[in-house]
Amino acid sequence: MSVSDAVLSVKRAAKFFGNKLVFKEVSCELGPGEIMLVAGPNGAGKSTLMRIMAGLSIPSAGDVSLNLDPEDVAYLGHATFIYPGLTALENLKFWGAMYGLFPSRDELMTLLKRVGLERAAEEKAGSFSRGMAQRLNLARIYQVEPKLIFLDEPGTGLDPKSLATLRGEITGFRDKGISVIWISHHVVEDTALADKVLALGGKKVAYFGPASEFTPEAAC
């Protein structure tokens, strides 16, 4: 794959916080419709790297090329970005308006049904559990229909049924030509859904390549 064909290209990225090195010499690339799983132990810098990839943080060294318009990129981090005083429907309506989208109530209800929240449509989001808030945040991403999605541990707080649904959605993105960069602690289960794996360890890349050749030990 040439750099011009890549949705995202990272070349020798490094990140310091003060004098503390988080990682260095990180290089990878992602093409259209590819799913890349980011693995590694706690503290390896996975979330920091994802924020750099998404343009939300600046690397201390190296280059990051994100070859998409900002409106074609969606990011789901640890914060859910929901407005607690608004209902689930009102949150989706507000988020849609920020992107110039004005879906009907029926369209919004379809999104909520997709994430299993149709019965909570009129409830204030401030009363939601962590899992419910995470599912509402996923509905926000589905509404935008981006070309590249960053998912930082999207399964946090989800019950087994919702987690299975999420995995189905992620593989469905590939079928639609949508690229996904996905941080997961369920490495064994989720590697099977990915095309590529980027594993961080020892403040550098421990593995980058086909998911079919990755062994979880490389992420330790």
Side-chain angles (χ1 to χ4, degrees), residues 191 195 197 207-216 218:
T191 295
D195 300 298
V197 174
Y207 176 87
F208 174 64
S212 60
E213 299 177 14
F214 173 71
T215 57

Side-chain angles (χ1 to χ4, degrees), residues 101-118:
L101 303 173
F102 302 96
S104 67
R105 177 186 173 85
D106 287 346
E107 289 171 325
L108 294 178
M109 287 299 296
T110 297
L111 286 171
L112 291 176
K113 185 176 182 179
R114 185 173 173 182
V115 297
L117 289 177
E118 67 273 21

Side-chain angles (χ1 to χ4, degrees), residues 158-169:
L158 297 186
D159 57 75
K161 181 179 179 181
S162 297
L163 186 58
T165 299
L166 170 66
R167 287 172 171 149
E169 294 284 356

Side-chain angles (χ1 to χ4, degrees), residues 145-220:
E145 296 185 349
K147 295 179 181 178
L148 172 61
I149 302 175
F150 291 94
L151 300 174
D152 191 348
E153 298 181 28
T156 302
L158 297 186
D159 57 75
K161 181 179 179 181
S162 297
L163 186 58
T165 299
L166 170 66
R167 287 172 171 149
E169 294 284 356
I170 289 174
T171 55
F173 290 143
R174 179 196 288 117
D175 297 336
K176 297 177 181 178
I178 299 171
S179 304
V180 179
I181 297 177
W182 176 19
I183 295 175
S184 172
H185 284 304
H186 303 284
V187 176
V188 175
E189 299 92 335
D190 294 339
T191 295
L193 307 180
D195 300 298
K196 296 178 176 178
V197 174
L198 172 66
L200 296 177
K203 303 185 185 301
K204 60 183 181 180
V205 175
Y207 176 87
F208 174 64
S212 60
E213 299 177 14
F214 173 71
T215 57
E217 291 76 14
C220 298

Side-chain angles (χ1 to χ4, degrees), residues 8-138:
L8 174 75
S9 178
V10 179
K11 299 294 183 184
R12 303 183 68 181
K15 186 65 178 181
F16 286 86
F17 288 123
N19 293 324
K20 180 182 178 181
L21 173 67
V22 182
F23 52 72
K24 64 179 181 179
E25 298 292 328
V26 174
S27 297
C28 64
E29 60 184 21
L30 188 72
E34 287 188 327
I35 297 175
M36 182 167 72
L37 187 71
V38 181
N42 291 333
K46 300 184 297 295
S47 294
T48 299
L49 177 60
M50 178 172 281
R51 288 181 60 82
I52 289 173
M53 289 175 169
L56 300 175
S57 182
I58 299 173
S60 302
D63 297 305
V64 178
S65 298
L66 186 56
N67 302 317
L68 293 171
D69 295 327
E71 60 269 23
D72 290 327
V73 179
Y75 179 91
L76 190 157
H78 292 157
T80 58
F81 300 109
I82 66 172
Y83 292 87
L86 300 180
T87 66
L89 276 173
E90 289 168 343
N91 266 282
L92 289 182
K93 184 177 180 180
F94 175 77
W95 286 326
M98 292 180 65
Y99 281 84
L101 303 173
F102 302 96
S104 67
R105 177 186 173 85
D106 287 346
E107 289 171 325
L108 294 178
M109 287 299 296
T110 297
L111 286 171
L112 291 176
K113 185 176 182 179
R114 185 173 173 182
V115 297
L117 289 177
E118 67 273 21
R119 294 183 179 179
E122 300 291 355
E123 293 182 19
K124 295 289 182 65
S127 68
F128 285 5
S129 67
R130 169 69 183 179
M132 292 174 69
Q134 192 76 327
R135 282 186 278 156
L136 180 56
N137 210 25
L138 286 169

